[in-house]
Amino acid sequence: VTLGKFCLRDERLAKDCLNLLARELHHESGIDGGVQGVQGAQGGGGGPSVRSNALVVMGDLCVKYTNLVDKFLPAMARCLQAGWD
């Protein structure tokens, strides 16, 4: 969430961090190409709280930098539809 606040202040930082935030929306194992998340072998998503925080940040960024976040809207919608299993 703190990183998101910095991104709201700096468009270049927001552009650099959006891929990282979008990767956290995925909850399937191995979706991020082998990079391990905070919880080890779980893959891209670190759990419901991480996905929730990523969605909040991306929603805030969408208000300020719509053109940057636009391509990630389908991933955000899929994350909301999938639930928190």
Side-chain angles (χ1 to χ4, degrees), residues 27-28 42 47-48 51 78-85:
H27 63 278
E28 295 85 17
Q42 195 172 26
R51 289 193 304 269
R78 276 192 307 272
C79 184
L80 289 170
Q81 291 173 344
W84 305 116
D85 10 323

Side-chain angles (χ1 to χ4, degrees), residues 36-85:
Q36 293 185 347
V38 174
Q39 295 182 358
Q42 195 172 26
S49 60
V50 174
R51 289 193 304 269
S52 176
N53 286 336
L55 277 173
V56 168
V57 169
M58 290 181 78
D60 290 344
L61 290 174
C62 191
V63 172
K64 187 159 185 177
Y65 306 119
T66 306
N67 58 329
L68 294 179
V69 184
D70 191 39
K71 67 181 177 180
F72 298 107
L73 289 177
M76 293 170 69
R78 276 192 307 272
C79 184
L80 289 170
Q81 291 173 344
W84 305 116
D85 10 323

Side-chain angles (χ1 to χ4, degrees), residues 11-55:
E11 185 174 2
R12 194 181 84 223
L13 179 63
K15 186 176 182 179
D16 292 342
C17 292
L18 273 170
N19 286 324
L20 171 77
L21 292 167
R23 185 174 55 214
E24 292 302 323
L25 298 181
H26 298 290
H27 63 278
E28 295 85 17
S29 179
I31 196 86
D32 61 352
V35 177
Q36 293 185 347
V38 174
Q39 295 182 358
Q42 195 172 26
S49 60
V50 174
R51 289 193 304 269
S52 176
N53 286 336
L55 277 173

